[in-house]
Amino acid sequence: MPEQNRPTNFIRQIIEADLASGKHEKIRTRFPPEPNGYLHIGHAKSIVLNFGIAEDYAGECNLRFDDTNPHKEDVEYVEAIKEDVRWLGYQWAGLYYASDYFEQLYGFAVELIEKGLAYVCDLTPEQVREYRGTLTEPGRESPWRNRPVEENLDLFRRMRAGEFPDGSRTLRAKIDMASPNMNLRDPALYRIRRGAIHHQTGDEWCIYPMYDFTHPISDALEGITHSLCTLEFEDHRPLYDWVLDHISAPCHPRQIEFARLNLEYTVMSKRKLTQLVEEGHVEGWDDPRMPTIAGLRRRGYTPAAIRDFCNRIGVTKVDGTVEMGVLEASIREDLDRTAPRRMAVLEPLKVVITNYPEGQVETLSAPNHPKDESLGSRELKLTREIYIDRADFCESANKKYKRLVLGGEVRLRNAYTIICDEAVKDDEGNVVELRCHYDPETLGRNPEGRKVRGVIHWVSASEGVPAEVRLYDRLFKRPDPDGVKDRPFQDFLNPDSLRVFQAMVEPALADAEPGTRFQFEREGYFCRDTRAAEEGQLVFNRVVTLRDSWARAEQKN
Ligand code: ATP
Ligand code: MG
């Protein structure tokens, strides 16, 4: 990014100072996801921060899978994460797995044992909890804490060899059971997980290193200069530093914490997103209502809009919740500039133009974008029978209603004006068809001496094509679905988060490339659904409304 447009934040200030002082010549960051789910918009914040810094300061950013929990992880997630990072527009310098370092990590654990700084503990998980103490009471030392080094080395080797059952022993750091920081009360470094098949290392290992041991060492082995993580790791930093201070580490990266992104009307942790998928509340990880990168992509978000959003919200040390409107504004601004305009009628009502010749098909040209001529134009087809939206007709209404009424005149967008003569009704009194006449003198010019109420969109009945249109709303009814005591977040799912319409769309949309985005005039921004396209279906997802309708609704209340 050009220097004058770069975001500024406290982390970038630290980095600039480190470069200026010569502490580092080259900046190295990493994005370290655990492959136990799909990435969400919160991860995008971390990706844009880490990769953005590498890009702007001629550094490097690695993608590292933090894969020390074989039970919860899967290659499906590894592949999805790689795709998402690439789609966001970034290329990693190196692709690593924490599991690449299992042998080295084992060696560093042995080093700690030899220095008398780690021991094999035989307490059960319940006992460990009991011995740990509380925030107000110091913990008690494990009876195994002072095992001789030789015995620890022997037991640790046999843990690795698979001689002991899960949960029977752990390797623990020997730090301080009275520390006010609970993370320093002899934290576990290794646990036994026999029978687990790891997606990278198979059955090679039956002991697995803990995050707090793995992470600092992985960072150091990759020569990371600044290890950026979210605020909940602030209390782990003393342990991060302790590990690196007590092993022969090649360097000592600096951990810096920042606030995680929370977004209104959604949940963000992978655990909860997994529940939404597994309990069938959504169609899958890429359901367009999901806050996942895959969901946003399918919904029609652009990588540029997501990067822009991440830069807009900034990076601070203060936790907060961002309004959905901020995310929506990023994509709305992007698409307002770039999306070709089209017409789609969501709830078709037939209109017969009685003075229009039967069988005539008139080709009209319409610009793709009102403000950008370089986007060119497309052809529209006008015929005697067309569709307008049900919401654009009302038998009688006052002057504020800028649409069609009985006896009133409106312009068909990019075409002529029509005047409504008759509303045909069924037995129950529902309007099923309108009979109108048009004024052939009004193409590109206003009628003389008559007032046109407004402009409405339309589609030819015979030349238009049927398409399914999906309108999405917030996935949850509350801004903080997981913020209510004793109530699961699923209780607050919005039952109207998806509404489906059998629409008619203009002919130019029939062969829209899957994934392309349009503005449907007066309706919002839409994207052709890629999944439905694989089945040959023409489906459009609404990316975002034309205006921030939620902000307006909330103002009224
Ligand atoms: P989750 O609970 O959603 O699984 P996590 O922190 O466990 O989140 P990881 O895969 O471990 O997920 O995260 C990879 C990186 O992304 C970490 O550096 C983490 O701090 C960062 N990250 C995760 N969630 C957010 C968020 N909401 N905002 C900013 N950064 C995040
Ligand atoms: Mg995690």
Side-chain angles (χ1 to χ4, degrees):
M1 203 178 282
E3 214 161 321
Q4 65 275 16
N5 298 341
R6 279 182 198 170
T8 56
N9 56 54
F10 76 100
I11 295 178
R12 283 172 174 254
Q13 281 164 7
I14 291 170
I15 283 170
E16 284 169 20
D18 286 349
L19 285 169
S21 72
K23 180 176 178 194
H24 298 294
E25 269 176 27
K26 185 167 187 141
I27 301 300
R28 287 196 184 78
T29 56
R30 85 288 169 268
F31 171 64
E34 181 177 1
N36 61 348
Y38 280 61
L39 297 183
H40 51 65
I41 183 76
H43 293 112
K45 176 175 180 175
S46 175
I47 292 172
V48 170
L49 177 65
N50 280 293
F51 282 92
I53 283 172
E55 230 170 56
D56 287 348
Y57 299 99
E60 288 181 348
C61 181
N62 290 341
L63 174 59
R64 183 201 312 141
F65 290 102
D66 174 27
D67 56 347
T68 55
N69 267 319
H71 286 302
K72 290 197 252 158
E73 299 163 4
D74 199 282
V75 276
E76 175 195 349
Y77 303 130
V78 169
E79 291 310 316
I81 289 170
K82 287 199 263 182
E83 183 184 350
D84 288 348
V85 173
R86 268 195 233 106
W87 179 77
L88 280 172
Y90 297 109
Q91 185 54 57
W92 44 87
L95 177 69
Y96 300 104
Y97 295 83
S99 56
D100 293 341
Y101 310 129
F102 279 174
E103 193 61 55
Q104 281 157 291
L105 288 161
Y106 183 85
F108 288 122
V110 167
E111 182 183 344
L112 286 178
I113 296 173
E114 283 169 344
K115 288 177 174 165
L117 293 171
Y119 60 98
V120 173
C121 179
D122 300 359
L123 293 182
T124 63
E126 297 74 52
Q127 288 171 321
V128 169
R129 224 167 293 134
E130 220 183 281
Y131 275 70
R132 190 178 293 133
T134 64
L135 283 174
T136 47
E137 278 171 52
R140 278 180 296 144
E141 295 191 349
S142 161
W144 312 102
R145 199 173 199 257
N146 296 312
R147 262 185 168 141
V149 169
E150 280 314 314
E151 191 179 324
N152 280 321
L153 286 173
D154 176 59
L155 286 172
F156 189 48
R157 202 177 313 116
R158 289 165 59 195
M159 273 169 69
R160 177 180 181 169
E163 289 186 26
F164 311 119
D166 286 14
S168 61
R169 292 194 156 95
T170 50
L171 182 74
R172 297 176 70 180
K174 194 190 279 189
I175 309 181
D176 179 4
M177 287 308 291
S179 171
N181 184 337
M182 302 288 280
N183 295 302
L184 296 181
R185 293 187 186 175
D186 290 11
L189 303 179
Y190 269 87
R191 60 209 187 297
I192 302 172
R193 287 277 181 277
R194 290 199 313 185
I197 300 296
H198 189 284
H199 52 101
Q200 301 299 319
T201 56
D203 61 359
E204 197 184 329
W205 291 86
C206 62
I207 54 172
Y208 287 91
M210 303 298 287
Y211 173 89
D212 281 328
F213 181 64
T214 310
H215 208 81
I217 298 177
S218 306
D219 282 346
L221 292 174
E222 290 171 24
I224 300 302
T225 54
H226 301 81
S227 177
L228 313 179
C229 62
T230 38
L231 280 180
E232 69 272 22
F233 291 101
E234 196 162 14
D235 287 347
H236 296 237
R237 186 173 359 115
L239 180 51
Y240 183 101
D241 290 330
W242 183 92
V243 169
L244 294 178
D245 283 341
H246 293 92
I247 60 163
S248 46
C251 64
H252 193 134
R254 173 170 176 191
Q255 174 178 309
I256 307 172
E257 308 85 18
F258 64 94
R260 39 189 324 121
L261 166 66
N262 300 302
L263 200 56
E264 284 186 346
Y265 294 99
T266 192
V267 291
M268 205 95 94
S269 89
K270 280 184 260 166
R271 188 175 57 78
K272 290 177 188 150
L273 296 175
T274 306
Q275 277 174 278
L276 287 175
V277 173
E278 285 179 355
E279 293 166 13
H281 301 296
V282 293
E283 225 184 87
W285 286 100
D286 68 350
D287 185 300
R289 292 165 293 181
M290 290 281 271
T292 51
I293 305 294
L296 292 166
R297 172 168 60 231
R298 186 169 157 206
R299 173 91 169 244
Y301 273 76
T302 59
I306 294 178
R307 290 195 306 262
D308 173 59
F309 167 73
C310 293
N311 287 324
R312 268 189 214 196
I313 55 172
V315 176
T316 67
K317 278 222 178 246
V318 189
D319 266 323
T321 303
V322 175
E323 285 174 30
M324 198 59 116
V326 182
L327 178 61
E328 292 179 345
S330 314
I331 186 65
R332 192 179 286 119
E333 282 171 30
D334 184 354
L335 295 183
D336 179 39
R337 251 182 305 111
T338 56
R341 274 43 173 176
R342 294 288 183 265
M343 292 195 286
V345 173
L346 268 51
E347 288 188 273
L349 173 63
K350 186 170 278 183
V351 172
V352 180
I353 307 172
T354 48
N355 61 337
Y356 197 88
E358 223 156 312
Q360 177 171 308
V361 180
E362 186 175 349
T363 301
L364 301 165
S365 168
N368 281 329
H369 198 288
K371 288 172 270 182
D372 187 351
E373 270 185 33
S374 73
L375 290 179
S377 60
R378 87 279 191 188
E379 288 184 346
L380 295 174
K381 303 284 184 186
L382 181 64
T383 50
R384 180 179 158 94
E385 294 194 350
I386 62 169
Y387 289 113
I388 66 166
D389 202 286
R390 235 160 227 293
D392 283 338
F393 174 75
C394 181
E395 275 184 76
S396 65
N398 66 20
K399 285 211 180 84
K400 282 193 196 145
Y401 187 74
K402 303 278 183 217
R403 315 174 191 187
L404 192 58
V405 297
L406 215 47
E409 183 168 9
V410 291
R411 173 171 298 283
L412 297 177
R413 179 91 170 129
N414 299 307
Y416 305 90
T417 66
I418 56 170
I419 295 150
C420 185
D421 304 309
E422 187 192 349
V424 182
K425 294 182 183 170
D426 65 11
D427 294 345
E428 280 148 28
N430 304 310
V431 176
V432 290
E433 185 179 301
L434 299 178
R435 300 181 73 78
C436 300
H437 68 275
Y438 86 118
D439 179 350
E441 302 302 317
T442 55
L443 188 61
R445 78 172 94 106
N446 282 326
E448 270 166 42
R450 300 193 311 270
K451 194 118 181 74
V452 175
R453 271 183 181 253
V455 183
I456 64 173
H457 59 281
W458 57 278
V459 170
S460 157
S462 55
E463 303 297 308
V465 284
E468 183 172 304
V469 168
R470 298 177 185 163
L471 301 193
Y472 299 101
D473 200 344
R474 312 280 194 253
L475 189 49
F476 290 94
K477 291 180 289 189
R478 292 179 59 94
D480 58 340
D482 50 8
V484 184
K485 204 167 165 269
D486 301 327
R487 296 280 301 273
F489 66 92
Q490 293 96 324
D491 280 7
F492 305 108
L493 280 160
N494 174 7
D496 302 317
S497 60
L498 168 62
R499 284 183 300 146
V500 178
F501 292 83
Q502 301 309 321
M504 285 296 288
V505 301
E506 64 167 88
L509 286 168
D511 47 11
E513 277 293 311
T516 37
R517 307 163 184 94
F518 302 93
Q519 184 195 92
F520 288 178
E521 299 212 39
R522 303 175 63 229
E523 294 290 2
Y525 296 96
F526 290 78
C527 176
R528 176 157 184 206
D529 189 64
T530 42
R531 267 196 193 277
E534 283 165 20
E535 261 121 62
Q537 291 161 359
L538 193 58
V539 174
F540 292 93
N541 297 315
R542 184 163 72 192
V543 190
V544 69
T545 52
L546 288 177
R547 277 169 288 276
D548 190 349
S549 49
W550 267 72
R552 272 187 296 160
E554 277 170 5
Q555 265 165 19
K556 271 192 222 146
N557 291 338

